[in-house]
Every structure is written in C-alpha cells, then in structure tokens.
Amino acid sequence: MSKVDVLLGLQWGDEGKGKIVDVLAPKYDVVARFQGGPNAGHTLEFDGIKHVLHQIPSGIFREKTKNIIGNGVVLDPIIFKSEIEKLKKYNLNVHANLFISKKATLILPTHRLLDQAYEKAKGENKIGSTLKGIGPTYQDKIGRQGLRVGDILSDSFKERLDKLTQIHFKILKEHGLEFNWTELESQFLDAVEFLKGFRLIESEYVLNQELKAGSTILAEGAQGALLDIDFGSYPFVTSSSTVTAGACTGLGVAPSHIGEVYGIFKAYSTRVGSGPFPTELNDDQGELMRKEGNEFGSTTGRPRRCGWIDLPSLKYSIMINGVTQLLMMKADVLNVFPIIKICTHYKLSDGTVTDMVPYEVVKEKIIPIYKEMKGWNISLKGFTKDNLPAALNEYIKFLETELNVPITLVSTGPDRTQTILR
Ligand code: GDP
Ligand code: IMO
Ligand code: MG
C-alpha cells in the first residue's frame, strides 16, 4: 500500500503551489485536488510560457500523470469549459488524463451572484472574496441542498436545478440584484453538456485502488492554512478545509494513508483580500516586495498585500498540518533587501509576548517583534545547493531551527528549472 503525499500552502495562499506540483508531478502517478474551486489561481511556467490553472490539477502538463478533481472541490462548469479550451493548443490528452469526482459540488451562476450580494451587504466588513461563488456553494453543500457533478447524468437534473435556483432567486431579489437568467442558464447548461464528455468517476474508489496497486499520489491544496474555515482568521477565510485533514475528507483517503506533508511558504508574506496581517508593510518596502515579486492576484489581478515572514503563524500552520518538509518559495524576491526582518513573536495589547496566534487575531492590535538578518543582496541566478550565498544559508538555517522542520527545496524564480533541492 502506498501513501498520499500532501502539498499545501502555509500562509494566505499564492505560495507557489502550482509551480511545485508541476515540478514534483513526474514523481507521481496521480495528482488530485481536494478542496476549493476557481478561487484558486495556480501558476506554472516552463519553456517561456506561463499557465494559470484554476480548477484543473497542476499535474496536467505531465503526460503520464492522472489528474483528479476530488469530491471536496466545488466545480464551476463554465470556468471548467473555458480552462479546457485554453489548453487546447497544447494538445494535452485531457479526456484520458483528467477525472472528476461525481461527488464534487457544482457552482451555479446563482452562487456567483449570491457571493456578490453577500459581499455587498457586508459593506466595509467584506471578506474580499474572489466572487467565484465558493462560499454560497459550500453553504448549499453543508445545507444538504447542493447539486453534484454526478447529478448532471440524471433525468431529473433540470428539475433539481430549477428547484435550487428558485431558492436563490428569492434571496437575490431581497438583495435587489438584477441579472439575465435566460442567458446565464443557457451558458451553464451548455457547459454542463461539455462536462458530460469527461470521465466522471467515484474518485474515492479510484484513489484507494491506486493506493493498493502501489501508485504514488500527490494531493494538491488550494488557498492556504491561514484561510482555512476552522483555523484561519475567521471570518476572513475561505469556506473549505485547506489543511491536511481536508485531503482526507476531500478525497476519501484515510488519515493512516497520508505520507509526506509538504508545507509551502514564501520567504516573506502576502495576503489578498481583507483580514489581519500582522507583518504587513504599508510603505516603500512593501511596494518593493510587490514589484519584485510581481504580487498581483492570479485569479483577480488584485494587488497583493506584502510583508515580512511571520513565524508565529507559520508555526501554527505547521502544527495543524503535521508538516514533514518545508519548501521555501520566492527567495529571489528578497535579493534587493540589504536587511531582512523575521517576525518571531507577537506583542499583544495587554503587553503579552507570545509566539502563538491569539483567538482574537482579528480584533487584536498585534505588534510584530522582529529579528533582523543581513540580506544576501545579490542575484541568485546560477547558484546551486552547494554554493548558496552565506546570508541565504543563514536565513534558511534560522528558519529551520525556529520551525523545527527541514527546508528541502528553495525556489529562486517562477520557472520549473529555477528550483534548488537541498
Ligand atoms: P499558487 O496559488 O500557490 O499556485 O501561487 P500563484 O501562482 O497564485 O502565485 C505565485 C506566483 O509566484 C506566480 O506568479 C508564480 O509564477 C510565481 N513564482 C513561483 N515561484 C517563484 C519564485 O521562486 N520566484 C519568483 N520570483 N516567482 C515565483
Ligand atoms: P490559491 O489556491 C489567495 C482569499 C480571497 C479572500 C478569501 C475568501 O491561488 O492560493 P473566496 O473566493 O474563497 O470566498 O475568498 O480567500 N482567497 C485566496 N487568496 N490565493 C487563493 O488561492 C485564494 N482563494 C481565496 O482573496 O480573501
Ligand atoms: Mg494563487
């Protein structure tokens, strides 16, 4: 029996999961997404081309890898169709290599509208959602009235769609949202027909059979641990379980079948959308990070908030996820900083100094306590694991000691090849 390795973000998303899944995929027979949906934007770069995937697993460019969209995912057929169409020119065998769980929940056009309505109603307190309908779809799933991918094969699908959209229309009317349902419905039904052309499976059986046969499986997380529905800075979170346990429920694999847990983090921090961000830099240095890191959302194009690395929150993520290996991304973005700061502790409003994330993380006025280190301050082009600049080695060593998990990979650029294994 083999194991499922899990790769997930330890911060607020956009750590570089897409790049690393693509790098690791040749080692895996199967890559499977287990939660989230088109709120994700996973970037892969090779041969001078940049690809952004939203719902399709990041193993899709590797010929021998099976890609599975698991039951824990929320799937928008319209976005799915447009993603597949964008991939057409690369001649990938998506009909053979891509499998979709019948138990994944469908995002309807009305879910997207509800997302807009709820955000608007929140006013200043809005979550900063990607407005892809994620929250309202998971609400319907948990409320036991959602529609699932497998339902599209049933004769009563249209009837069930009508029933659910009627419920949505009532709420949308209360919010005064105007829309043209005839157009949206026809676009949706067209995409549903398209979806029927793919391999719709009971992915929990397929994955467990693969495990029995000794196949290697990589579970690809979306978002990050600090956006998790239970452990993130609630309510400024997404609506799914972004943590390792989510891979079990989102794929139907037992906890005892989890192997390595790759925790991926940026050498600094970013966040897009609202919510607490203790080390955020609202100054020239933050601006420089955004520029050097090209920190603009892969899904929405919004500028990402930037700041120094935050060890209390990383320690929390590592604990919740049982991380066995750390992967440090975007080290090159710090090349231009002569001094690098590391937040080791938080000072709370009552004077307490702690390296734990407080319950009142949203309300608390957290003051980060920093350790300063000398930056390497040169380009990382051409460096290998054996001759990394001393200051970068010091940075890595300090993080490993504090976090108590080895950093086994350092990424120095967006391309597949800009990856140093330690
Ligand atoms: P994901 O959502 O975790 O897959 O990450 P995103 O794709 O949303 O954001 C990561 C961004 O950083 C993308 O534009 C990547 O191409 C880019 N990237 C990934 N690794 C590196 C790196 O090591 N250095 C630099 N400069 N960019 C990177
Ligand atoms: P990947 O997989 C970064 C953020 C949104 C918002 C909050 C809720 O690319 O790392 P939602 O649309 O889920 O209702 O938004 O979560 N968010 C992400 N931030 N990367 C993502 O995905 C994100 N997916 C959602 O900005 O603050
Ligand atoms: Mg992203």
Side-chain angles (χ1 to χ4, degrees):
M1 196 93 170
S2 51
K3 298 260 185 201
V4 177
D5 294 341
V6 183
L7 180 140
L8 38 75
L10 299 180
Q11 295 162 320
W12 291 281
D14 303 328
E15 295 88 351
K17 299 175 290 292
K19 167 181 165 164
I20 297 302
V21 170
D22 170 64
V23 167
L24 296 178
K27 284 196 349 196
Y28 288 93
D29 300 309
V30 181
V31 171
R33 278 276 307 267
F34 58 89
Q35 46 68 235
N39 49 350
H42 293 181
T43 313
L44 292 67
E45 234 179 279
F46 53 88
D47 302 338
I49 305 174
K50 179 171 154 173
H51 306 272
V52 183
L53 299 171
H54 300 285
Q55 304 187 112
I56 298 173
S58 302
I60 198 70
F61 290 98
R62 303 293 195 174
E63 237 174 86
K64 295 196 178 111
T65 308
K66 279 187 190 165
N67 288 270
I68 297 182
I69 297 176
N71 58 277
V73 169
V74 288
L75 185 84
D76 184 327
I78 297 172
I79 296 177
F80 176 77
K81 182 166 179 257
S82 81
E83 270 196 88
I84 294 286
E85 281 166 355
K86 268 194 206 131
L87 291 177
K88 241 184 204 153
K89 59 179 173 211
Y90 303 107
N91 287 323
L92 307 174
N93 199 355
V94 283
H95 288 280
N97 287 349
L98 182 59
F99 303 78
I100 304 161
S101 168
K102 285 186 185 171
K103 293 193 172 85
T105 307
L106 288 172
I107 301 179
L108 310 185
T110 40
H111 286 125
R112 268 187 278 129
L113 295 168
L114 286 168
D115 220 352
Q116 273 179 39
Y118 294 149
E119 279 285 80
K120 203 161 160 228
K122 286 196 172 90
E124 264 185 13
N125 298 320
K126 69 172 185 184
I127 308 296
S129 162
T130 61
L131 302 179
K132 302 292 176 193
I134 306 298
T137 306
Y138 278 115
Q139 251 178 311
D140 276 347
K141 171 181 176 174
I142 302 299
R144 299 170 295 191
Q145 62 180 11
L147 291 173
R148 303 195 290 180
V149 167
D151 297 343
I152 67 175
L153 305 173
S154 145
D155 291 340
S156 61
F157 179 67
K158 179 67 172 66
E159 203 180 299
R160 290 159 77 179
L161 176 66
D162 289 344
K163 204 169 148 202
L164 184 54
T165 49
Q166 285 304 323
I167 297 172
H168 294 162
F169 292 163
K170 268 194 208 147
I171 308 171
L172 290 168
K173 200 170 165 199
E174 273 171 34
H175 285 266
L177 219 76
E178 306 255 334
F179 54 94
N180 179 341
W181 180 240
T182 316
E183 214 171 275
L184 289 173
E185 187 186 38
S186 119
Q187 197 189 10
F188 177 74
L189 291 174
D190 177 53
V192 162
E193 281 311 307
F194 181 81
L195 188 56
K196 284 183 187 164
F198 284 79
R199 298 168 79 164
L200 312 182
I201 59 166
E202 282 164 71
S203 57
E204 63 280 30
Y205 275 117
V206 171
L207 284 162
N208 281 284
Q209 280 155 7
E210 291 280 354
L211 282 176
K212 256 195 192 146
S215 304
T216 48
I217 300 177
L218 180 65
E220 172 181 3
Q223 290 76 57
L226 304 178
L227 289 171
D228 179 76
I229 184 71
D230 283 275
F231 301 107
S233 41
Y234 194 88
F236 299 104
V237 294
T238 190
S239 298
S240 65
S241 289
T242 62
V243 295
T244 306
C248 295
T249 56
L251 294 176
V253 296
S256 54
H257 294 149
I258 300 295
E260 292 293 326
V261 179
Y262 301 110
I264 178 163
F265 69 102
K266 282 180 192 173
Y268 49 101
S269 307
T270 64
R271 176 166 200 166
V272 55
S274 328
F277 183 177
T279 63
E280 181 170 13
L281 293 167
N282 289 308
D283 59 10
D284 293 352
Q285 288 197 306
E287 199 53 57
L288 184 59
M289 261 179 207
R290 183 154 40 247
K291 185 173 145 273
E292 292 295 311
N294 190 24
E295 294 295 357
F296 296 89
S298 316
T299 297
T300 57
R302 291 178 290 178
R304 294 176 183 145
R305 302 155 65 193
C306 297
W308 297 116
I309 199 162
D310 175 342
L311 297 189
S313 65
L314 274 177
K315 286 180 185 174
Y316 185 70
S317 295
I318 289 168
M319 172 181 82
I320 299 294
N321 287 299
V323 172
T324 60
Q325 296 187 41
L326 286 167
L327 318 179
M328 184 168 90
M329 307 301 289
K330 302 189 91 161
D332 55 299
V333 174
L334 298 184
N335 292 353
V336 295
F337 290 87
I339 297 288
I340 293 173
K341 290 192 186 181
I342 303 171
C343 167
T344 59
H345 292 82
Y346 296 158
K347 187 169 178 189
L348 308 183
S349 44
D350 66 358
T352 313
V353 172
T354 176
D355 67 349
M356 289 160 81
V357 179
Y359 173 74
E360 291 286 12
V361 64
V362 172
K363 274 204 216 141
E364 254 300 340
K365 289 239 172 316
I366 292 173
I367 300 172
I369 299 181
Y370 289 113
K371 173 189 167 65
E372 291 192 0
M373 289 186 86
K374 211 166 134 267
W376 41 99
N377 224 215
I378 57 167
S379 160
L380 294 177
K381 282 213 173 82
F383 281 96
T384 66
K385 75 173 171 40
D386 301 313
N387 69 354
L388 288 178
L392 174 55
N393 268 331
E394 287 296 311
Y395 189 62
I396 293 171
K397 222 163 62 197
F398 182 75
L399 296 181
E400 282 183 323
T401 308
E402 287 290 309
L403 301 173
N404 209 13
V405 181
I407 297 177
T408 56
L409 181 152
V410 178
S411 175
T412 59
D415 193 86
R416 252 184 202 169
T417 56
Q418 293 170 301
T419 310
I420 298 173
L421 298 176
R422 293 177 77 236

